[in-house]
Every structure is written in C-alpha cells, then in structure tokens.
Amino acid sequence: REWQHVKAYFAPKRDQTRQGQRFQLDECRTWMRLMFWSAREEGLDKFPLFWSWFLEFISFYIDIYQMTAPPYVKRDSAWSIKKDNIGKYLSDNRLMKDIIGVNPLPEDFPQSCE
C-alpha cells in the first residue's frame, strides 16, 4: 500500500507546493468531507450501527495520513448534512475554502472538535 501513498503524494493534480509531502490536515479534512458526503448520498447514514462504525473506522485510518485529523471526524461527517455547504463547495470550484491552510489550534487538539 505504501507505493500508492507515494503515488498520491506526487499526484499531478495536487498543488505543486505540496507534491512529495505527506498529506496535511486540510487535505485530510477535505477527503473526509467528500467520503462522508458520498456515504450519506448512498443512504449509509440511515443505519446508526454502521454509521458509528464508519466514523470510528475513518478516525482510525485517517491518523495514518495526519495525526491531527481524527478529532475532526464528527465535525466533518456532519458537513454534508447542510446543502448550503455542498453548494458553496461546488460554487467555489470544488474547493473547501473554509479549511484550506487551517491548522489545529492548541486548544482544539487533542480534544474532540465536535
């Protein structure tokens, strides 16, 4: 699996200033929001037991990419509930401007960011 990570770090569509670097918090949060949105669109959030497991699963594995990301799982899973968030994402050329370049504040970590 590691070679896939390296391939992703050097992906041509990735910002050139970040190519070759490990994923940053904003990239991981963007990925989580998109993952939860797609799962929500498929109706997976309608199964509480599965949804709870899914949040834990994402929280465990996102730590591989960025150790500051797990506290944002609940917050980012709720992002796609509001259709305004999705509309803003699409109108902003598929960018999540509210989290680009944002790093956790000391008071946000390691506490949960619900």
Side-chain angles (χ1 to χ4, degrees):
R1 185 168 37 152
E2 187 175 314
W3 68 272
Q4 288 289 27
H5 296 166
V6 172
K7 194 173 176 181
Y9 297 151
F10 288 94
K13 291 186 178 182
R14 194 167 184 218
D15 185 325
Q16 287 186 344
T17 62
R18 291 185 172 190
Q19 284 188 354
Q21 297 177 9
R22 292 181 58 93
F23 294 118
Q24 301 302 309
L25 177 61
D26 55 354
E27 294 171 305
C28 290
R29 292 190 64 200
T30 297
W31 178 85
M32 287 193 295
R33 287 178 174 188
L34 295 174
M35 180 63 64
F36 293 128
W37 176 23
S38 66
R40 195 176 302 287
E41 282 199 336
E42 293 300 318
L44 298 177
D45 61 322
K46 304 220 181 326
F47 301 94
L49 189 59
F50 172 81
W51 195 251
S52 176
W53 171 84
F54 189 53
L55 295 181
E56 287 183 42
F57 175 81
I58 296 297
S59 181
F60 179 78
Y61 278 98
I62 199 68
D63 187 63
I64 293 169
Y65 301 100
Q66 180 52 245
M67 68 180 194
T68 60
Y72 293 91
V73 167
K74 285 188 180 180
R75 177 186 290 180
D76 290 336
S77 71
W79 173 87
S80 59
I81 293 172
K82 295 182 182 177
K83 297 298 179 194
D84 290 347
N85 289 337
I86 294 168
K88 180 147 181 51
Y89 165 70
L90 296 173
S91 68
D92 283 344
N93 201 24
R94 298 183 186 270
L95 294 173
M96 296 186 185
K97 294 181 179 180
D98 61 316
I99 59 173
I100 293 175
V102 175
N103 291 309
L105 299 172
E107 60 269 15
D108 281 347
F109 191 77
Q111 300 170 8
S112 177
C113 297
E114 295 180 25

